Amino acid sequence: MAKRPLRVILAQPRGFCAGVVRAVDIVERALEIYGAPVYVRHEIVHNKHVVDGLRQKGARFVEKVSDIPTGAVTVFSAHGVSRKVEDAADDRGLQVIDATCPLVSKVHVEAQRYARQEYEVVLIGHAGHPEVEGTMGQVPGTVHLVSNVDDVARLEVADPAKLSYVTQTTLSVDDTREIIAALKSRFPEIRGPDVKDICYATQNRQTAVRLLAAKSDVILVIGADYSSNSNRLREIGDEAGTASYLIPDAGSLEPAWLEGAESVGITAGASAPEDLVEGLVDRLRDMFDATVTNLDGIEENVTFKLPRELTGADEHAV
């Protein structure tokens, strides 16, 4: 029986961003240099497949510094950590390698600069997200967390003339636009970063999904259900009027979603590796007479350097 034709359109860009590539490389490089086990505080990135792969190579993931043996080689995840976590690691004599995304570190530096100038800081982000917890814990002064326009209306600050804002990196310009407008309306003197400081990868992937939605009957987003940026990609597809589903891998695809569809768009969150995209494409080829094309989009060429501790293997080998 002949297979039904299906057009498969791959978003560009999709999947791993430079910060995730760097974080995964850091764990793999640390394992090569120091040997297993290497301890990682929190999941290095929000993707079970990536974490499981590193665990098989000898990484051990923990949520608390107190679970790490004294003096052990330890990696801080891409999301960043608070000063309290850094101090606890120092107290245990841990050999720390920091995999915090450089764009997250930039937010930390900006917020700290405002705090030194005695500004209160408004952090636009999601409560409970590890990046938000890390950023709030890096600022010595007052930090107010806002997630929506209603939170802005409820803000109580000491001095409206001494107020600043920063944003969680996994939020795009579009995600934060209304909140920033509300902040500037209520606090005209508020200071904040330039739009160019928004994470390039978040914005690029969201822009690509909007283009994908215009060409697809269904959108499949590969990513973890606890990944902020992956969930947002699915939401954007839905908001654009295209039925969109978030799945961790090809095995989670429900054939019913594709009934009557002539085209399906595929993208992946910033923590999802390309082999998961390839696996989904292979499954669609098994089910349909699939033709695969790449959507025209932004070509990313951003790379981040590894920490100095990992750039001289011969000096560190044990």
Side-chain angles (χ1 to χ4, degrees), residues 89-152:
D90 285 342
D91 289 344
R92 295 186 69 77
L94 302 182
Q95 189 172 347
V96 172
I97 305 168
D98 191 357
T100 301
C101 173
L103 297 180
V104 174
S105 296
K106 186 176 183 181
V107 172
H108 292 176
V109 170
E110 287 175 341
Q112 290 163 352
R113 176 170 56 84
Y114 288 130
R116 284 195 300 272
Q117 296 170 359
E118 299 184 345
Y119 279 73
E120 290 181 64
V121 177
V122 176
L123 172 58
I124 302 171
H126 297 148
H129 192 282
E131 180 188 331
V132 166
E133 293 177 348
T135 299
M136 294 184 75
Q138 282 285 341
V139 183
T142 300
V143 183
H144 306 275
L145 177 63
V146 299
S147 301
N148 51 52
V149 171
D150 290 339
D151 289 342
V152 175

Side-chain angles (χ1 to χ4, degrees), residues 14-310:
R14 62 182 181 271
F16 275 7
C17 63
V20 168
V21 170
R22 176 178 180 270
V24 173
D25 284 351
I26 283 173
V27 177
E28 292 182 336
R29 184 78 171 137
L31 285 165
E32 290 173 5
I33 293 172
Y34 300 104
V38 165
Y39 290 82
V40 184
R41 190 217 175 249
H42 191 67
E43 291 191 351
I44 187 69
V45 295
H46 281 165
N47 188 276
K48 184 177 183 297
H49 290 273
V50 174
V51 169
D52 286 349
L54 293 173
R55 186 178 284 117
Q56 290 173 7
K57 295 178 181 179
R60 295 186 183 175
F61 294 88
V62 301
E63 289 301 316
K64 296 182 293 184
V65 169
S66 58
D67 293 332
I68 303 173
T70 301
V73 175
T74 302
V75 177
F76 288 158
S77 79
H79 312 97
V81 300
S82 67
R83 288 280 180 88
K84 185 177 180 180
V85 171
E86 292 175 344
D87 291 344
D90 285 342
D91 289 344
R92 295 186 69 77
L94 302 182
Q95 189 172 347
V96 172
I97 305 168
D98 191 357
T100 301
C101 173
L103 297 180
V104 174
S105 296
K106 186 176 183 181
V107 172
H108 292 176
V109 170
E110 287 175 341
Q112 290 163 352
R113 176 170 56 84
Y114 288 130
R116 284 195 300 272
Q117 296 170 359
E118 299 184 345
Y119 279 73
E120 290 181 64
V121 177
V122 176
L123 172 58
I124 302 171
H126 297 148
H129 192 282
E131 180 188 331
V132 166
E133 293 177 348
T135 299
M136 294 184 75
Q138 282 285 341
V139 183
T142 300
V143 183
H144 306 275
L145 177 63
V146 299
S147 301
N148 51 52
V149 171
D150 290 339
D151 289 342
V152 175
R154 291 189 289 266
L155 265 183
E156 295 183 9
V157 302
D159 182 358
K162 298 283 284 185
L163 193 63
S164 62
Y165 72 86
V166 293
T167 69
Q168 179 180 328
T169 63
T170 50
L171 302 179
S172 70
V173 174
D174 298 325
D175 294 332
T176 59
R177 183 178 287 112
E178 287 187 1
I179 299 173
I180 292 172
L183 284 168
K184 290 181 176 179
S185 175
R186 187 164 175 218
F187 307 105
E189 296 181 70
I190 194 169
R191 298 175 61 184
D194 192 280
V195 167
K196 70 177 184 295
D197 286 348
I198 291 287
C199 174
Y200 77 94
T202 299
Q203 187 65 46
N204 290 350
R205 279 152 189 72
Q206 292 188 12
T207 298
V209 166
R210 290 187 175 90
L211 295 174
L212 200 61
K215 297 176 179 292
S216 308
D217 296 322
V218 175
I219 289 177
L220 302 174
V221 180
I222 296 180
D225 59 6
Y226 53 96
S227 163
S228 176
N229 75 87
S230 299
N231 274 287
R232 186 65 185 125
L233 294 178
R234 181 200 60 75
E235 290 171 0
I236 288 171
D238 278 339
E239 289 167 2
T242 302
S244 301
Y245 304 92
L246 176 62
I247 58 174
D249 50 41
S252 301
L253 173 65
E254 294 288 346
W257 296 340
L258 304 181
E259 287 182 8
E262 296 180 358
S263 59
V264 57
I266 297 176
T267 189
S271 301
E274 182 64 13
D275 62 343
L276 296 181
V277 174
E278 294 169 356
L280 180 56
V281 170
D282 287 343
R283 182 163 186 212
L284 291 173
R285 282 183 166 136
D286 288 341
M287 298 167 62
F288 300 95
D289 178 15
T291 57
V292 181
T293 59
N294 279 281
L295 191 68
D296 289 336
I298 297 169
E299 294 284 345
E300 294 178 346
N301 55 11
V302 177
T303 58
F304 294 133
K305 293 180 180 178
L306 295 179
R308 284 194 299 270
E309 305 97 304
L310 302 179

